[in-house]
Amino acid sequence: MTEAEAQVGVIGMAVMGSSLARNIARHGYRTAIYNRTTSKTDAVIEDHGDEGDFVPASELEEFVASLERPRRIIIMVAAGKGTDATIESLVPLLDQGDIVVDGGNSFYQDTRRREAALREKGLHFVGAGISGGEVGALEGPSIMPGGSAESYQALGPILEDISAHVGDEPCCAYIGTDGAGHFVKMVHNGIEYADMQFIGEAFELLKAAGLSHQEMADVFKAWNTGDLDSYLIEITSEVLRKVDEKTSQPLVEVIKDAAGMKGTGTWTVQSALSLGVGVNTIAESVFARAASSDADLRAVAQESLQGPQRGLDVEDRQGFVNDIRDALWSAKVVAYAQGLDLIRQAATEYGWEIDIAEVAKIWRDGCIIRAKLLERIRSEYAENQLTSLLQAPSVAAELARNQDAWRRVVVAGVQGGTPVPGFSAALGYYDMVRAPRVNAALTQGLRDYFGAHTYRRIDAEGSFHTLWSGDGSEVEV
C-alpha cells in the first residue's frame, strides 16, 4: 500500500469517530478508517468520500498495514469494555513506538492503567479528551491529550491542526503524562454540569418573577453580549425561544423535567472526594440531576411537603434580572475555581505538570464550556501565581461587586420556594473559604470526644486529646 499509506487512522465510525475522521481528512491528512461493522465504513466513504483522502479497511490487519510508522491510531469506541477489547485486538498488530489514542470519555484511572500496560510493550498510549460533540469533532474540537511527551511530538501537530482555533492559537495542548488529558476532560464535564445547573436556576427564577419564555430568551441573548458570553448562554436563548409544533407551547415546558447524565460529572465528584478537594457546586449539580429523575421521590414529596408556590413578588423586575445575571456569573466563577483547584491538586498527587493557563486557553473554543470568561482565567493564571482562581485580582474584585446581588438572589429563591442549590452552594463555598474561622474546630472537638481522633491547637505544634471520660485534662499524643 505504498501509494496509499495513511498518515493517521481512526477506529470506530459512529457519529464522533466518523466526524473526527472527516475533520482529519479535510485538513489534508490521508486517513485510514475502520469499523468492526464494515457497512459503517462503507457509509462514510459513500457519503463523505469526496471530502478528503480516505483509506478504508474491512479488516483490522488491513487497517494497521495501511499506516505509516510510527503508526498513529485514534480509537473512537464506547468507553470501558469496548475500549479494552479494541486495544486487546490492536496491540498484537503493532510495533514498538506506535501510538494508540483513546479519544473517548474514559475514566482517567482506566487511562493510567492502559498507558502503563502499553508502555511495557514499547507502545505509546494517549488518553485524549475531545470536547465539542459531533459538530466540534467535525469542525474543530477542544482537545486535551495526555501521554508521553515523545508521543505528542508525533501526534500533536495533527491534533493542533484539526482543533478549534482562537486566532492562530489551537485549542489543543499537551496536558501531561498518562491520565492527565482524560482527567482534565472529566473536570471540564463537571464544570459543564454546574454551568447548566446555574443556567437552569436562573431560568426558574426569571420565570417565577413573571417573565415569558420569549422575554427570558431575550434576557439570555442580551447576557450573551457581556461577561456571560458563552456557548451555553447562547443556546439557552435558542432553546427558550423554541415553540413546540404539536402543542404551540414553549418546547421547554413540554420536555420532561428529568435530566440525564452519562457519568463524567459523577466521576468528577468521586475523584474530588478521593483527593479531598471541595467541589460542592459540581456535586450539587449532579445531585440535582439525580433528584430530578427520581419520579417516586418527587411524587410523594409533592403530595406531602408544604412550602411557597414559587412565585416571586418583584417590584423592580429589571433590577432583579440584573441581580440574577451577577449571581450567575459569580456562581460560574466558583465552579471554575473548584474545577481548576481539583486539577491542581490531582497534578500534585499524580505527578502531572499541568499548566492551568494552557487548560483555560484550550477551553476558549471548540468545547461545550467555551466562554469569554476563559480568556480572563488564562490571563490571570499566566500573570499570577494562583492557588485559586478566586484570588485572581480581577476576579476577586468583581465577586466583591456582585456579592450583594448574589445574596439577594439566593434569599429570593429560598423565600419564594424556587430551588437554588447551585447558587447557594457556590455562595456557601465563597463564604466558607474567605472566613477566618469555620465550624471545623467544633467538628474536631466532637470527633475527639467520641472517637479520640485528636485535634491540633492554634498555639502549639503536635496533636492533642482531651480525656473526656476522665478528669478532662489534655494530653499530647
Side-chain angles (χ1 to χ4, degrees), residues 142 144 184 188 359-365 367 369-370 374:
S142 173
M144 297 148 257
V184 167
H188 163 284
V359 171
K361 174 184 141 183
I362 65 177
W363 284 350
R364 291 178 302 163
D365 200 3
C367 67
I369 64 171
R370 57 187 184 266
L374 283 156

Side-chain angles (χ1 to χ4, degrees), residues 322-333:
N322 293 341
D323 280 356
I324 295 172
R325 177 198 62 207
D326 292 346
L328 178 56
W329 187 89
S330 301
K332 181 186 183 85
V333 166

